[in-house]
């Protein structure tokens, strides 16, 4: 069985006796909203983002990119450069270094080495003081290619068109999950239902484009970066240059949105700049132009999920088979982990007795796909939710009623044969949202195909790294210093990128220490000053690191005397009662889950096939909100981003090139595209989260697309099977 | 060297235009996108540009008995806010981009840019607008339907500047506009539809149909409109199929990054059907 | 290069620049007014919004040669006014700010729309902000922020 992932320790077992039931949560009114600490500086324009920073003698860099999707580089003719301009490529990588961007894998080169695998791959950097001259130099460089036959679609790649791009089979990762006895269940099935569901690319459109500045400060290689993970950059730069981690310093700058797009890609930005820096020794800025950013930065993985579901004579699901394929693009980066989350999510909140899941991440000659809010879960959840809608329709059962028959609960078994530990409040949440949205009446009144529709999605999202990542790989550490003047320094590597962390972390520390939240200092992380509490991703900042902040605050409180200075350090330890085997991907994939239900109401224009969203309702269980308003803001933003994914955000790769390359053509929602959102939270404190909090940032994205698709198919009276649900596609559906 | 020239008045602008062929630059919202370059570098204009937006001569909206004359420097915002602006033009202009762009952009610029997806162009076709082109040697009045010759191409000569657009004042009791864009606001058009009619005593007295972004230039047929004129509701019904076919033959859209040819054609015909079959009936 | 005079945040300034260079670059790189941001460089996102003679425009679409004699207000100017302070406060109270990259432009758009509609409806606010893209908030809290500013700032616009 080809399970290829083997990083981390083979097995980790924690005594299951220590179940979490009965553990005591801290009770508090921490959720009462406060003013965000960064609001005024950001509104007024005082906050300094990467490209706002002033560096004396700053040089600019531009990437010379491959124009071919798959080719050998035969020759690069570089004209004679004017004084003060530099051409930097793989030959400039220090001999002790490596032409590899070390992320989760090392397959992505810093600079193309004799071959290119996608349009836009970095071949070289041109660096100098005048940007027009840099453009002229890039224009004058002649790259000679010998074209090879590319494989763009997953079908082409699986058929090994042009020969394998990766390994022998173009498969970066191939996983198999088994729960119960699907073979037996399928053999006894009364009826089989098949379904094929697709999702498209999605571009992050963080408002601030990708940017890094590399410079030498006090003799040390120092990076300023718009980034989610300063320690990732440090690791990647050290690896490329062959230096020790301590030789590199990374300072996060105010980050204008990220959504996963600044998790790994800043490593791809920083490593070539680092190579240039070792040669030039002056500050170098690499900031992508928006068109470059859309064209060549990583995207959400497109996916195809094929279901085969076995029903018994009473119409009950007895077994489910899911085959999940994600288009990983030219380099693996983190695709294996995205794939894990995609398959772990592909049964959503339903406890189906017999399940077989296969997942594959496929290498193609496209821009690499990478992290994007949800990290595989949106694809898995969209597929299963839409499949559940199709099944309910087929059986003539109401969408919500059909789903609720399979709700998991405490003790429920997951697709990785782990157990749900927490109290599942889905029934209560379903009641709340149905009441708020007047769901039952609308579902009954809007006849199928009558152009008005109401749709629902029910979903969960595991907080933190998949499997044993937190204890095997991250081992997060938080440090705090209580100062003699009564102020507190909070030292963590997690970043504020819009999600409110600078406010919520301060609130957690302040609540424990019984001080004002504004007396807690928490600056943008600098790898020379803060311990590595891990990356800012995977809905782990509050749920995992926030808990470390809480526990560290308790330690500090115990030792800190008024008028004195005291320090406390706290390191991650897994909650008790979890089991995980990374080899076989068996056990508790996540320590806890956030839960959500979305309802969307739409009306379809039969003339233009455009969809108007009439109402949006959501209910979330994020344990406990650290700040009601910040979580509400996450919910709003996540849902609208999810609705963009579902509707207008069409990104087509044709022959390895995206057709939509500007913000005019890649269409994210404006203030006029969707109505306001009715959001509710339920309290369900989690004992190993700060004040009971779990992750929220990705959960809030996950449900919008399937609820929207469910509503649209209700309105048009015909099944849909893909997003984006463009008017062009809906025209086809409605004409069938 | 490419320069940005700021003439003192229209006279000087015309002289510079004649001498250098500098590109007329009104709001610049199309030119700055077309010649966009890297941050911190200059836009890549192929020739010098001639700034016009400050010229008082071009900033007037003059309402006369039979027409409204919009100076070429009048912003899109001022056009749609003007009480005398025909409803269909106001709707079309208001549907362009977003406030900041409408404050800078001009209708003359939209016209000279001559994109098949230019939103005001479709309405100007329907309204039988006239373009005033001036050079040192005089003034030409060109019907808009003749002014645009192909995507991005117009009859404007190298020594001319568009100084105004004339829109006839006519009473339309039926005015039907639809922009089908990539989203609800700040959107480029996949297609747009303008239908105008004057009905009297149960008959169509005058009718205009213009469809944008479904062919190299706006689709409008004075011949078919003539055939429709004078018809009653029941006569219109009898001609419905042939009308749909005749317009269908003129609607020849393309696939691009915003939409597909199939969709554009289908929706254009759906809108035509809606206009002829339903909207018109409100008057006949 | 030519000399261009204009009023910037209430003060007369004279700059010597290429008239086709973008106002955005002049503000950010020469004058170090980095409250205007470059999100797209093609007039789509609104992060570089400024007021030109009281109306909102995208500074990435404005060659410096066209601002001769004009009055330009950037976020640095607006934030010092009572109107600017009112919006900043209302944004903070409404949860309108997340990553913040769009927010200075949103503040400019809010000021411009409140000039036009001192007591705006929600629909007017949404239209007024439609050229300013935000990827974080889903807009609701920004809309609420503008409505709150309108309510608190009666008489300011």
């Amino acid at each position: 069985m080809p399970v290829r992932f083997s990083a981390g320790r083979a097995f980790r077992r924690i005594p299951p006796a220590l179940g979490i039931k009965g553990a005591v949560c801290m009770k508090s009114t921490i959720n009462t909203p406060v003013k965000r600490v960064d609001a005024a500086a950001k509104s007024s324009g005082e906050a300094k983002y990467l490209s706002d920073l002033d560096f004396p003698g700053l040089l600019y860099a531009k990437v010379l990119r491959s124009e071919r999707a798959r080719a050998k580089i035969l020759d690069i003719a570089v004209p004679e450069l004017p004084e003060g301009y530099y051409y930097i490529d793989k030959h400039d990588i220090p001999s002790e270094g490596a032409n590899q961007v070390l992320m989760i894998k090392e397959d992505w080169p810093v600079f193309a080495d004799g071959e290119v695998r996608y349009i836009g791959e970095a071949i070289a950097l041109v660096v100098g003081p005048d940007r027009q001259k840099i453009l002229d130099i890039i224009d004058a460089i002649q790259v000679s290619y010998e074209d090879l036959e590319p494989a763009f679609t997953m079908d082409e790649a699986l058929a090994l068109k042009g020969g394998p791009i990766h390994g022998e089979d173009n498969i970066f990762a191939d996983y198999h999950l088994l729960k119960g006895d699907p073979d037996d269940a399928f053999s006894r099935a009364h009826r089989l239902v098949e379904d094929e569901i697709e999702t498209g690319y999605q571009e992050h459109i963080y408002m601030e484009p990708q940017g890094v500045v590399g410079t030498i400060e006090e003799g040390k290689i120092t990076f300023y970066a718009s980034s989610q993970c300063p320690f990732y950059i440090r690791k990647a730069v050290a690896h490329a240059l062959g230096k020790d981690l301590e030789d590199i310093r990374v300072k996060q700058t105010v980050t204008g949105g990220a959504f996963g797009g600044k998790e790994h890609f800043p490593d791809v930005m920083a490593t070539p700049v680092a190579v240039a820096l070792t040669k030039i020794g002056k500050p170098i800025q690499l900031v992508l132009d928006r068109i470059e950013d859309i064209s060549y930065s990583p995207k959400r993985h497109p996916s195809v999920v094929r279901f085969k579901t076995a029903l018994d004579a009473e119409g009950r699901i007895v077994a489910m088979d899911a085959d999940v394929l994600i288009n990983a693009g030219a380099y693996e980066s983190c695709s294996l982990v995205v794939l894990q989350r995609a398959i772990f999510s592909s049964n959503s909140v339903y406890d189906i007795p017999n399940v077989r899941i296969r997942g594959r991440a496929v290498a193609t000659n496209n821009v690499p796909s990478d992290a994007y809010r949800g990290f595989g879960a949106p694809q898995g959840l969209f597929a299963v939710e839409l499949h559940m809608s199709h099944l309910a329709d087929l059986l003539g059962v109401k969408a919500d009623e059909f789903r609720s028959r399979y709700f998991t609960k405490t003790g429920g078994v997951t697709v990785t044969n782990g157990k749900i530990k927490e109290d599942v409040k889905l029934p209560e949440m379903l009641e709340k949202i149905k009441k708020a949205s007047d769901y039952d009446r609308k579902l009954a009144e809007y006849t199928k195909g009558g152009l008005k529709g109401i749709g629902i999605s029910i979903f969960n999202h595991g907080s933190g790294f998949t499997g044993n990542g937190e204890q095997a790989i991250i081992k997060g550490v938080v440090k705090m210093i209580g100062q003699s003047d009564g102020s507190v320094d909070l030292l963590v590597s997690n970043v504020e990128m819009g999600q409110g962390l600078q406010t919520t972390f301060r609130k957690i520390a302040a609540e424990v220490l019984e001080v004002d939240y504004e007396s807690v200092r928490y600056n943008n992380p600098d790898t020379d000053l803060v311990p590595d509490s891990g990356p800012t991703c995977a809905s782990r900042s509050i749920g995992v690191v926030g808990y470390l902040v809480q526990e560290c605050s308790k330690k500090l409180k115990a030792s800190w005397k008024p008028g004195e200075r005291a320090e406390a350090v706290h390191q991650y330890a897994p909650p008790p009662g979890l089991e995980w085997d990374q080899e076989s991907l068996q056990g508790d994939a996540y320590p806890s889950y956030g839960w959500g239900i979305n309802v969307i109401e739409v009306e379809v224009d039969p003339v233009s096939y455009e969809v108007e969203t009439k109402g949006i309702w959501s209910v979330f269980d994020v344990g406990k909100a650290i700040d009601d308003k910040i979580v509400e803001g996450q919910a709003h933003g996540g849902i609208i981003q999810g609705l963009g994914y579902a509707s207008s955000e069409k990104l087509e790769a044709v022959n390895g090139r995206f057709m939509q390359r500007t913000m005019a053509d890649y269409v994210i929602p404006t203030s006029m595209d969707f109505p306001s959102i009715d959001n509710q939270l339920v309290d369900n404190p989690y004992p190993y989260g700060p004040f009971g909090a779990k992750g929220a940032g990705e959960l809030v994205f996950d449900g919008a697309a399937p609820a929207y698709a469910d509503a649209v198919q209700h309105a048009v009276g015909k099944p849909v099977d893909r997003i984006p649900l463009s008017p062009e596609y809906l025209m086809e559906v409605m004409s069938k | 060297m490419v320069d940005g020239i700021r003439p003192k008045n229209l006279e000087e602008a015309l002289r510079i235009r004649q001498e250098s062929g500098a590109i007329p630059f009104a709001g610049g919202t199309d030119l700055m996108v077309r010649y966009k370059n890297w941050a911190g570098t200059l836009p890549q204009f192929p020739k010098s540009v001639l700034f016009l937006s400050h010229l008082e001569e071009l900033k007037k909206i003059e309402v006369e008995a039979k027409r409204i004359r919009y100076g070429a420097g009048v912003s899109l915002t001022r056009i749609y806010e003007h009480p005398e602006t025909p409803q269909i033009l106001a709707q079309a202009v208001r549907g362009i981009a977003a406030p900041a762009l409408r404050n800078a952009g001009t209708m003359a610029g939209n016209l000279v840019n001559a994109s098949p997806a230019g939103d005001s162009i479709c309405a100007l076709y329907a309204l039988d607008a006239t373009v005033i082109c001036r050079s040192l040697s005089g003034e030409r009045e060109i019907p808009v339907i003749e002014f645009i010759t192909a995507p991005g191409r117009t009859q404007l000569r190298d020594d001319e500047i568009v100084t105004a657009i004339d829109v006839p004042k006519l009473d339309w009791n039926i005015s039907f506009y639809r922009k089908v864009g990539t989203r609800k606001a700040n959107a480029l058009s996949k297609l747009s539809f303008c239908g105008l009619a004057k009905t009297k005593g149960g008959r169509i007295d005058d009718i205009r149909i213009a469809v944008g972004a479904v062919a190299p230039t706006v689709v409008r047929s004075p011949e078919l409109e003539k055939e429709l004129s004078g018809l009653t509701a029941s006569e219109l019904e009898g001609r419905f199929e042939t009308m749909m076919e005749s317009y269908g033959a003129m609607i020849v859209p393309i696939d691009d990054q915003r939409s597909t040819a199939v969709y554009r054609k289908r929706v254009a015909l759906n809108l035509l059907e809606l206009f002829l079959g339903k909207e018109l009936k409100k008057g006949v | 290069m030519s000399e261009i005079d204009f009023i910037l945040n209430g003060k007369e300034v004279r700059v010597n620049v290429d008239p086709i260079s973008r106002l955005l670059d002049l503000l950010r790189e020469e004058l170090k007014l980095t409250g205007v941001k470059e999100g797209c460089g093609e007039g789509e996102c609104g992060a570089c919004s400024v007021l030109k003679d009281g109306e909102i425009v995208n500074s990435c679409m404005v060659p410096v040669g066209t601002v001769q004699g004009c009055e330009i207000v950037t976020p640095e100017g607006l934030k010092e006014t009572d109107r600017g302070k009112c919006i900043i406060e209302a944004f903070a109270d409404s949860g309108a700010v997340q990553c913040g990259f769009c927010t200075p432009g949103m503040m400019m758009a809010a000021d411009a729309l409140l000039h036009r509609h001192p007591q705006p409806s929600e629909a007017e606010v949404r239209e007024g902000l439609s050229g300013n893209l935000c990827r974080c908030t889903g807009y609701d809290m920004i809309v609420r922020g503008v409505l709150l500013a309108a309510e608190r700032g009666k008489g300011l616009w």
Side-chain angles (χ1 to χ4, degrees):
Chain A
M1 192 175 75
V3 173
R4 282 145 200 268
F5 182 60
S6 60
R9 276 177 297 181
F11 201 68
R12 167 112 204 171
R13 186 175 285 274
I14 303 117
L18 302 166
I20 61 168
K21 279 264 167 178
V24 181
C25 284
M26 300 185 67
K27 285 241 186 303
S28 126
T29 55
I30 193 166
N31 55 309
T32 307
V34 300
K35 220 173 254 194
R36 277 180 68 127
V37 296
D38 51 349
K42 284 175 169 176
S43 292
S44 63
E46 286 158 39
K48 297 286 183 205
Y49 297 78
L50 190 274
S51 60
D52 301 338
L53 299 173
D54 214 7
F55 294 87
L58 182 67
L59 302 179
Y60 298 92
K62 186 119 189 141
V63 181
L64 173 73
R65 297 185 182 279
S66 166
E67 290 162 10
R68 305 300 167 86
R70 190 178 190 183
K72 282 187 182 147
I73 296 175
L74 301 178
D75 181 55
I76 303 172
V78 182
E80 197 175 325
L81 300 179
E83 177 74 28
Y85 291 81
Y86 304 86
Y87 172 89
I88 308 287
D89 71 4
K90 61 165 177 156
H91 302 292
D92 299 298
I93 292 173
S95 54
E96 63 274 25
N99 188 12
Q100 294 168 336
V101 184
L102 173 61
M103 294 184 273
I104 291 175
K105 292 296 178 77
E106 301 163 354
D107 63 330
W108 196 331
V110 178
F111 295 111
D113 188 2
E115 61 153 39
V116 286
R117 288 192 189 177
Y118 72 95
I119 293 172
E121 184 166 351
I123 296 172
L125 274 190
V126 175
V127 182
D130 182 274
R131 281 164 281 182
Q132 187 58 52
K133 283 211 178 86
I134 293 171
L135 290 173
D136 295 342
I137 292 166
I138 292 217
D139 275 351
I141 295 173
Q142 301 273 342
V143 183
S144 312
Y145 302 92
E146 181 192 324
D147 282 318
L148 303 171
E149 188 179 29
F152 294 121
T153 65
M154 289 196 281
D155 285 344
E156 286 173 356
L158 290 173
L160 303 181
K161 188 180 173 195
I165 303 159
H166 167 84
E168 289 169 4
D169 54 8
N170 278 341
I171 295 174
F172 286 128
D174 188 350
Y175 298 131
H176 295 262
L177 298 178
L178 201 64
K179 172 182 170 186
D181 188 350
D183 284 339
D184 176 59
F186 272 105
S187 71
R188 289 187 290 107
H190 174 75
R191 184 176 181 184
L192 281 179
V193 181
E194 295 191 33
D195 222 346
E196 182 171 319
I197 289 157
E198 283 182 44
T199 62
Y201 278 108
Q202 188 180 23
E203 156 59 33
H204 307 79
I205 309 281
Y206 26 69
M207 291 306 296
E208 180 203 22
Q210 298 276 354
V212 298
V213 169
T215 185
I216 311 281
E217 284 181 1
E218 294 161 10
K220 191 164 184 174
I221 291 171
T222 304
F223 271 84
Y224 291 78
S226 175
S227 128
Q228 296 174 231
C229 317
F231 279 96
Y232 279 10
I233 298 175
R234 186 177 78 154
K235 184 176 73 172
V237 168
H239 181 78
L241 300 182
K243 291 192 176 292
D244 292 334
L245 293 172
E246 289 69 31
D247 294 336
I248 314 295
R249 181 175 192 175
V250 180
K251 300 177 180 181
Q252 186 241 351
T253 52
V254 181
T255 295
F259 313 112
K262 294 173 184 172
E263 183 174 345
H264 297 111
F265 194 66
D267 305 357
V268 178
M269 298 276 292
T271 43
V273 172
V275 174
L277 187 61
T278 57
K279 206 171 167 190
I280 302 167
K282 292 179 188 162
I284 301 168
Q285 183 200 75
L286 177 62
V287 171
L288 298 191
D289 177 88
R290 178 62 69 180
I291 292 176
E292 221 181 346
D293 198 315
I294 296 179
S295 301
Y296 310 123
S297 72
K299 308 288 176 260
R300 185 186 300 289
H301 294 71
S303 73
V304 178
V305 182
R306 297 187 183 99
F307 286 103
K308 212 183 302 165
T309 295
L311 303 174
D312 67 13
E314 282 75 46
R316 281 190 299 255
I317 300 173
V318 290
M320 199 180 268
D321 181 304
D323 184 15
V324 179
L325 289 162
I326 62 170
N327 186 338
Y331 294 105
E332 182 169 359
S333 181
C334 66
S335 286
L336 73 167
V337 197
V338 171
L339 179 65
Q340 288 169 22
R341 205 178 265 272
I343 58 174
F344 299 167
S345 303
S346 63
N347 265 190
S348 186
V349 297
Y350 311 113
D351 192 348
I352 309 293
N354 305 294
V355 181
R356 185 167 50 215
I357 299 173
R358 183 182 190 190
R360 282 169 288 176
V362 182
T364 61
N365 291 110
N366 293 292
V367 169
S369 304
D370 200 274
Y372 190 150
R373 194 180 204 170
F375 207 74
Q379 293 93 322
L381 291 169
F382 178 77
V384 71
E385 279 301 284
L386 206 57
H387 182 52
M388 291 297 274
S389 292
H390 292 164
L391 290 170
D393 261 2
L394 208 67
L395 297 165
V397 186
K398 283 172 60 188
D400 61 304
E401 195 188 312
F402 183 69
R403 282 168 168 79
S404 61
R405 291 176 188 170
Y406 303 95
F407 280 171
T408 191
K409 51 184 185 289
T410 311
V413 180
T414 69
V415 292
T416 52
N417 296 303
K419 293 258 170 63
I420 297 288
K421 309 280 188 288
E422 61 211 86
D423 187 14
V424 177
K425 297 209 166 190
L426 289 177
E428 174 192 332
M429 291 163 68
L430 185 59
E431 279 317 302
K432 267 182 192 286
I433 203 163
K434 283 171 64 167
K435 193 170 169 211
S437 62
D438 201 5
Y439 180 84
D440 285 332
R441 179 186 68 79
K442 289 171 180 169
L443 194 69
E445 263 177 32
Y446 302 166
T447 50
K448 283 201 183 297
L451 302 173
K452 283 184 180 177
I454 190 155
I456 194 165
S457 64
I458 306 177
F459 48 96
N460 62 4
H461 195 105
S463 307
F465 265 57
T466 298
N468 62 350
E470 292 290 348
Q471 63 264 38
I473 301 166
I474 304 297
K475 307 182 183 88
V477 176
V478 162
K479 182 176 172 182
M480 294 177 77
I481 305 167
Q483 303 289 0
S484 55
D485 65 359
S487 68
V488 181
D489 284 293
L490 172 57
L491 302 171
V492 294
S493 63
N494 298 84
V495 312
E496 169 70 59
M497 54 188 184
Q499 84 284 42
L501 214 56
Q502 287 208 339
T503 305
T504 47
F505 269 11
R506 280 177 165 97
K507 281 181 80 174
I508 292 167
E511 186 86 359
V512 176
L513 292 165
E514 297 176 82
V515 298
D516 189 76
Y517 77 102
E518 283 166 324
S519 67
V520 180
R521 265 183 305 276
Y522 161 25
N523 298 322
N524 290 331
D526 171 337
T527 56
D528 269 14
L529 302 179
V530 300
D532 188 354
S533 54
T536 311
C537 63
S539 301
R540 66 181 292 280
S541 295
I542 289 293
V544 177
V545 185
Y547 186 66
L548 302 183
V549 172
Q550 176 189 283
E551 296 306 298
C552 193
S553 300
K554 287 182 190 166
K555 277 190 189 167
L556 181 65
K557 193 179 183 184
S559 65
W560 189 25
K561 296 187 182 70
E564 291 180 13
R565 187 181 182 280
E567 286 188 14
V569 174
H570 191 76
Q571 179 158 25
Y572 178 81
L578 295 178
E579 289 181 37
W580 182 252
D581 174 34
Q582 187 60 47
E583 276 308 317
S584 60
L585 302 179
Q586 289 295 294
D588 299 310
Y590 304 101
S592 70
Y593 295 84
W595 305 79
I597 307 184
N598 289 173
V599 167
I600 308 272
E601 185 180 349
V602 301
E603 192 166 343
V604 177
D605 181 339
V607 172
S608 65
Y609 317 101
E610 291 171 297
V611 179
E612 175 150 2
T613 302
K614 305 299 249 186
I616 306 169
W617 296 267
S618 55
V619 178
F620 293 109
D621 162 11
V622 296
K624 172 96 181 168
I626 296 301
D627 185 289
D628 283 342
K629 189 163 275 172
I630 285 175
V631 173
E632 175 104 358
Q634 286 293 295
H636 290 178
I639 288 169
I640 298 301
Q641 207 173 83
L643 288 172
Y645 180 44
S647 61
S648 63
E649 293 183 30
K650 186 167 70 177
L651 186 60
E652 304 159 292
V654 176
N655 296 331
R657 200 183 286 278
F658 292 118
M659 300 305 289
Q660 294 76 20
R661 296 189 288 272
T662 66
M663 278 176 93
D665 287 335
Y666 183 75
V667 181
I668 67 166
T670 70
S671 54
M672 290 176 76
D673 284 279
F674 294 102
S676 59
I677 295 164
D678 179 305
N679 180 59
Q680 300 178 73
L681 299 176
V682 294
D683 247 22
N684 187 15
Y686 167 61
Y688 300 99
F691 298 94
K694 300 182 285 195
E698 296 176 289
L699 171 75
V700 292
F701 175 90
D702 291 339
Y708 182 85
D710 187 40
V712 170
Q713 60 188 6
H714 178 196
V716 303
K718 287 175 180 161
V720 299
D721 59 16
R722 76 191 70 157
I723 47 171
L725 269 162
S726 65
E728 288 78 3
Y729 166 56
L730 259 194
M731 175 185 75
E732 283 175 36
V733 170
M734 291 170 78
S735 308
K736 270 179 201 160
Chain B
M1 205 197 107
V2 170
D3 199 2
I5 308 160
R6 188 184 162 90
K8 284 189 195 61
N9 51 39
L10 181 58
E11 189 67 20
E12 191 186 34
L14 292 170
R15 187 173 52 71
I16 295 165
R17 173 79 168 140
Q18 175 165 310
E19 284 166 5
S20 68
I23 306 167
F25 186 109
T29 53
D30 282 320
L31 292 171
M32 292 296 278
V33 175
R34 188 180 313 158
Y35 300 113
K36 176 187 182 306
N37 200 4
W38 191 7
T41 64
L42 299 174
Q44 293 293 79
F45 299 125
K47 289 187 197 173
S48 290
V49 293
L50 187 55
F51 298 133
L52 301 174
S53 61
H54 60 288
L55 297 178
E56 288 304 322
E57 297 100 312
L58 304 180
K59 283 193 182 178
K60 290 183 212 124
I61 298 178
E62 295 167 280
V63 182
E64 295 166 18
K66 293 201 165 159
R67 67 173 189 202
I68 309 165
R69 173 164 287 197
Y70 297 98
V74 176
S75 71
L76 296 168
T77 303
R78 281 186 60 208
I79 291 174
Y80 86 75
E81 286 187 341
H82 198 281
E84 296 283 341
T85 296
Q87 184 192 339
I88 204 156
L89 183 60
Q91 282 176 292
V93 167
R94 192 172 186 163
I96 295 174
L101 212 119
R102 295 194 292 264
N103 288 337
T106 65
M107 194 156 71
N110 203 220
L111 201 54
V112 175
N113 191 47
S115 158
D119 285 324
S120 71
I121 302 175
C122 188
L124 293 172
Y125 263 68
L127 290 163
D128 264 344
T130 306
V131 189
I132 316 298
C133 304
R134 194 186 299 175
S135 67
L136 286 179
S137 47
E139 204 171 80
R140 296 196 294 156
E141 295 197 4
I142 308 172
V144 72
I145 200 162
E146 291 165 24
F147 180 72
I148 295 174
T149 55
R153 289 183 180 276
T154 69
Q155 283 205 37
L156 190 72
R157 291 197 308 242
D158 281 350
D159 62 342
E160 283 178 326
I161 290 170
V162 172
T163 55
I165 296 162
D166 280 354
V167 175
K169 276 172 81 177
L170 288 169
D171 281 336
W172 305 103
N173 58 335
I174 291 167
S175 176
F176 174 69
Y177 178 73
R178 272 295 290 275
K179 166 174 175 157
V180 181
T182 49
R183 63 186 158 205
K184 289 201 164 44
N186 203 2
L188 290 161
S189 282
K190 294 176 179 176
L191 72 149
S192 60
F193 184 96
C194 292
L196 291 170
K198 192 163 87 175
T199 58
K200 227 174 10 195
R203 282 181 188 280
I204 298 168
D205 191 37
D206 192 359
I207 184 164
R208 309 279 174 82
I209 293 167
V211 196
V214 293
T217 57
V218 172
V219 167
R220 192 180 153 201
S221 167
E223 296 76 26
L224 293 175
E225 288 170 7
K226 209 170 281 173
E227 284 182 36
L228 287 166
S229 294
L231 300 184
T232 62
S234 60
E235 288 165 347
L236 178 65
E237 229 147 86
R239 303 293 286 279
F240 186 79
E241 289 301 321
T242 54
M243 276 296 149
M244 293 296 290
E245 269 171 39
S246 302
Y247 275 102
M250 297 164 68
I251 292 170
V252 287
I254 56 164
D255 287 330
D256 66 8
Q257 73 275 26
R258 282 170 219 140
S259 189
T260 63
V262 176
Y263 175 83
R264 287 182 162 116
K265 178 150 192 168
R266 175 76 176 273
V267 175
L269 289 174
N270 286 352
L271 287 165
L272 181 66
E273 187 179 335
L274 182 63
F275 179 64
L276 292 178
K278 208 162 164 190
E279 295 296 319
L280 259 188
K281 286 200 177 130
K282 292 175 185 167
V284 294
Chain C
M1 304 291 254
S2 32
E3 281 191 346
I4 292 153
D5 298 293
F6 63 104
I7 297 168
L8 177 61
N9 295 329
K11 292 192 187 113
E12 288 179 23
V13 291
R14 171 170 293 181
V15 293
N16 192 18
V17 294
D18 194 313
I20 65 171
S21 62
R22 305 184 304 171
L23 178 60
L24 173 62
D25 291 328
L26 173 76
L27 294 172
R28 287 181 53 79
E29 299 194 1
E30 302 298 319
L31 304 174
K32 309 293 178 198
L33 296 174
T34 53
V36 284
K37 312 291 180 194
E38 177 155 359
C40 71
E42 52 167 5
E44 280 294 322
C45 77
C48 67
S49 299
V50 298
L51 301 177
K52 182 183 174 210
D53 293 333
E55 292 192 319
I56 186 168
V57 295
N58 298 308
S59 63
C60 71
M61 300 271 96
V62 177
V64 180
T66 64
V67 304
Q68 169 70 39
C70 293
E71 193 172 347
I72 299 293
V73 178
T74 71
E76 288 83 355
L78 184 60
K79 74 171 187 194
E80 300 298 338
T81 66
D82 288 344
R83 291 178 279 108
K85 286 173 190 161
C86 176
I87 296 168
I88 289 169
E89 193 71 14
F91 275 8
D93 289 337
S94 305
V97 183
Q98 289 194 26
C99 90
F101 201 78
C102 74
T103 321
M106 286 289 179
M107 173 174 71
M108 304 311 287
D111 183 62
L113 84 88
L114 289 170
H115 265 297
R116 206 166 275 267
H117 308 285
Q119 292 303 313
S121 66
E122 183 184 329
E124 283 164 342
V125 173
R126 287 188 180 271
E127 182 175 11
L129 302 178
S130 62
N132 294 72
L133 298 179
C134 167
R135 192 58 155 166
C136 294
T137 65
Y139 303 102
D140 266 16
M141 292 186 179
I142 301 176
V143 172
R144 284 184 218 167
V146 177
L147 292 169
L148 183 62
E151 193 185 306
R152 285 183 183 168
K154 277 194 180 114
L156 288 176
W157 283 279

